[in-house]
Amino acid sequence: MKVDSILANRIYESRKIMGVTQEVLAEKLGITPQSVSRWENGQSRPDVDMLPKLAAVFGTTIDALFGYHSENLKINSYAEKCKCTSNYYGSKIKKVTCEILEVLPPTQPRTILDIGCGIGEMAVFFARNGYIVSAFDIDEENLNIGKELARNVGVDVNFFCADFLKYKIESKFDIIYARDFLHHVPPQDRARIFEMIQANTNVGGLNALDACVEKSFTGETPELQSGMYFYQTAELFSYYGKNWRFEIMDEYYFDCNNCGIPHQHCIDVMLAKKISD
């Protein structure tokens, strides 16, 4: 089955499960009912920047919309497990993305490396906005979806498969971007990883990163059983010194019911600009 057919069926089935009409779904998304009808008939597909909003409305993930099940993921398993991801990854992350466009717009050729890109929706978003994008993930299935997204919107993204704990960045980039990934890096590897990221960022370039933070009041976190290593408060920021200026230093909380265990998550988010070597 083609991805278009999978996506069309998922949108139709999800809308029926919600018990809403095409008109109601269109109103929630700020589009026309005709657009929803075309999606469900496979005559067109949502723009890439509409996918997070669509997933949020259905209470699912972009992966699931394309029929991809996260239990097969080697690293990027968090988004499918945590059904409330739209509270953060579907909306808050956009603020950081928009800040990148504002702080370092592609008024000249700008290169981006997207680390742990998952299905590549953000890599495609950046490419659509004029950046030169390379993106990698450990999972080939993720990358196949990303390549399909790129083909369907007519942009070029250099997708490749790599394990970041073993991968060595060998060229410099204007922007290094990593979301929903750094909390999969064991504590003993973090200093090396951040040193490599910073060394391969051009002066005047940006690092846009986030990480889950351990808090005593957020409750039991089942994700700690599945290859996640939470950061301490402000630890993410502590890896950056006098050669960097923070454009964003922020913290977000959201509710989660992963595995039927109600709890909260705390996410530290940063956008830092390299001002000197």
Side-chain angles (χ1 to χ4, degrees):
M1 183 180 289
K2 294 182 179 180
V3 172
D4 277 334
S5 298
I6 294 173
L7 181 58
N9 289 338
R10 294 281 179 172
I11 294 173
Y12 173 79
E13 292 169 359
S14 298
R15 180 177 63 78
K16 287 297 185 181
I17 290 171
M18 284 182 66
V20 299
T21 63
Q22 291 181 345
E23 288 75 15
V24 171
L25 178 59
E27 183 177 357
K28 289 178 179 292
L29 296 170
I31 58 175
T32 65
Q34 289 77 16
S35 294
V36 176
S37 178
R38 286 194 293 270
W39 296 346
E40 293 183 354
N41 291 326
Q43 296 173 345
S44 66
R45 62 189 305 161
D47 289 339
V48 169
D49 48 0
M50 176 61 71
L51 291 173
K53 189 172 182 180
L54 188 61
V57 168
F58 290 146
T60 186
T61 65
I62 297 172
D63 304 60
L65 287 175
F66 284 90
Y68 183 69
H69 300 290
S70 67
E71 56 265 30
N72 296 324
L73 294 179
K74 299 185 182 78
I75 280 186
N76 196 17
S77 60
Y78 178 61
E80 177 68 18
K81 288 181 179 179
C82 189
K83 297 302 182 184
C84 61
T85 48
S86 60
N87 292 344
Y88 176 70
Y89 294 106
S91 56
K92 297 296 186 183
I93 195 66
K94 289 185 178 180
K95 179 179 186 297
V96 178
T97 303
C98 291
E99 289 286 348
I100 291 173
L101 297 174
E102 293 175 5
V103 175
L104 202 65
T107 52
Q108 63 186 63
R110 307 280 193 193
T111 55
I112 293 181
L113 177 64
D114 186 350
I115 297 171
C117 65
I119 65 166
E121 73 275 22
M122 295 313 303
V124 171
F125 174 83
F126 286 126
R128 290 187 70 194
N129 280 277
Y131 294 94
I132 302 167
V133 184
S134 295
F136 69 89
D137 194 84
I138 197 171
D139 196 281
E140 288 279 7
E141 292 294 335
N142 278 350
L143 297 173
N144 288 336
I145 294 173
K147 291 173 183 177
E148 181 72 13
L149 287 172
R151 281 194 295 269
N152 277 279
V153 299
V155 297
D156 292 322
V157 176
N158 175 30
F159 284 112
F160 61 99
C161 188
D163 179 350
F164 190 51
L165 295 180
K166 301 176 182 178
Y167 178 69
K168 182 179 180 181
I169 304 175
E170 295 182 343
S171 58
K172 288 194 173 185
F173 293 85
D174 295 309
I175 301 162
I176 295 184
Y177 179 87
R179 69 180 184 107
D180 190 26
F181 168 76
L182 291 173
H183 35 255
H184 294 286
V185 177
Q188 65 270 20
D189 293 319
R190 288 176 186 166
R192 173 181 62 84
I193 292 295
F194 280 102
E195 182 179 354
M196 178 170 61
I197 289 173
Q198 293 174 32
N200 287 280
T201 305
N202 289 323
V203 173
L206 301 173
N207 284 180
L209 314 173
D210 68 20
C212 284
V213 178
E214 183 178 3
K215 297 288 187 180
S216 61
F217 53 83
T218 54
E220 183 181 353
T221 52
E223 292 83 5
L224 287 175
Q225 307 298 320
S226 59
M228 291 183 69
Y229 308 91
F230 284 17
Y231 285 56
Q232 298 301 306
T233 298
E235 179 186 350
L236 178 65
F237 312 129
S238 72
Y239 291 102
Y240 286 76
K242 62 181 180 180
N243 296 337
W244 293 81
R245 182 179 71 236
F246 287 105
E247 305 288 340
I248 294 176
M249 295 175 67
D250 215 337
E251 198 165 78
Y252 297 100
Y253 297 84
F254 62 88
D255 296 322
C256 186
N257 193 33
N258 184 27
C259 301
I261 303 174
H263 59 284
Q264 284 190 319
H265 281 294
C266 173
I267 305 287
D268 276 359
V269 182
M270 57 162 277
L271 182 65
K273 187 170 187 177
K274 189 173 185 179
I275 56 177
S276 66
D277 280 319

